[in-house]
Amino acid sequence: MNIFKHLLPFAIGFLVILGSCNDNQSEQPTGQISLSVIQKAIKNGRIEVDENPVSISITINKGDETILDNEQYDISQFGTGFLIDPIVLEIGEYSVEEFLVYNASNEVIFATPRTGSQFEKFVDTPLPTDFTIAADEVSELSLEVISTEGIDPEDLGYASIGFDILPVKNILVSVFNQTESTNSFITSELTIYGNNDSI
């Protein structure tokens, strides 16, 4: 019995040390992702939404696992661009699957099109887009968005998520050369202006 009394403090100390080692192993190193947002004009005559965004939502996957599912973040400032607080993630390889921008009424006013969608050609890098998080570093990622005005979510590659679809008018334009006897269509270039700006 005396032997156990002498060994008991050592056993307790060993368990405390073992527990602290496990705690350190469970804490994964982290880094941050800093998002910048570029608004792309749609060159098909669609006028862009003239209101300030107030928040974004983002879906991020790590492999097949969804890490952030339509997680919403406030936009701290809007002037020459968006200012979003960096997002802390464990180190590893990630992909942005969905990216939406909301107005004060919580309506989607901008979005990044997904690969394979009708509007993917309007951005240089449609979603999903990959990025890497390294320990104690800030990774930078630029996301391009287009106005969702008059666009169905499916045309951007999204399932229906309650877009507020604003009405638009389609205008058909034909250019032809008229003579006394015939009218023949000709190839032309067209520039459309809205509020004195080329769109």
Side-chain angles (χ1 to χ4, degrees):
M1 275 305 234
N2 290 335
I3 295 175
F4 289 113
K5 286 182 181 179
H6 292 296
L7 290 178
L8 185 60
F10 293 106
I12 292 173
F14 176 74
L15 291 174
V16 169
I17 293 172
L18 183 62
S20 65
C21 290
N22 288 336
D23 288 342
N24 291 335
Q25 289 176 354
S26 65
E27 293 178 5
Q28 295 292 328
T30 61
Q32 297 180 339
I33 180 69
S34 176
L35 301 174
S36 60
V37 182
I38 303 169
Q39 182 182 335
K40 303 284 282 191
I42 302 179
K43 298 176 181 176
N44 65 350
R46 183 170 286 112
I47 299 174
E48 294 178 355
V49 177
D50 186 21
E51 55 184 315
N52 288 344
V54 297
S55 64
I56 62 101
S57 71
I58 190 168
T59 297
I60 295 179
N61 285 4
K62 186 177 185 182
D64 294 331
E65 181 184 1
T66 299
I67 303 301
L68 299 177
D69 187 9
N70 289 318
E71 195 74 22
Q72 199 148 353
Y73 297 91
D74 291 334
I75 295 171
S76 303
Q77 177 182 343
F78 182 77
T80 57
F82 297 81
L83 181 61
I84 304 163
D85 290 336
I87 301 171
V88 178
L89 296 169
E90 294 181 358
I91 62 170
E93 304 293 325
Y94 294 85
S95 64
V96 177
E97 301 293 323
E98 296 183 354
F99 187 79
L100 306 169
V101 182
Y102 296 83
N103 63 11
S105 300
N106 208 35
E107 299 164 335
V108 177
I109 54 174
F110 298 107
T112 304
R114 291 178 51 82
T115 298
S117 70
Q118 179 178 333
F119 285 88
E120 69 168 328
K121 60 187 176 183
F122 292 106
V123 295
D124 295 329
T125 309
L127 300 181
T129 185
D130 299 330
F131 65 94
T132 302
I133 293 292
D136 301 321
E137 293 184 9
V138 178
S139 303
E140 296 184 357
L141 180 64
S142 293
L143 297 172
E144 299 169 321
V145 297
I146 62 173
S147 169
T148 60
E149 183 177 356
I151 300 177
D152 291 326
E154 293 80 5
D155 293 337
L156 291 164
Y158 291 80
S160 180
I161 52 175
F163 281 11
D164 183 48
I165 304 300
L166 302 177
V168 297
K169 289 184 179 291
N170 293 322
I171 302 172
L172 302 179
V173 178
S174 300
V175 182
F176 55 88
N177 185 26
Q178 185 177 15
T179 65
E180 290 183 3
S181 58
T182 62
N183 291 329
S184 57
F185 290 103
I186 58 174
T187 302
S188 303
E189 292 184 2
L190 174 68
T191 302
I192 297 176
Y193 290 87
N195 296 327
N196 297 320
D197 290 326
S198 170
I199 59 173

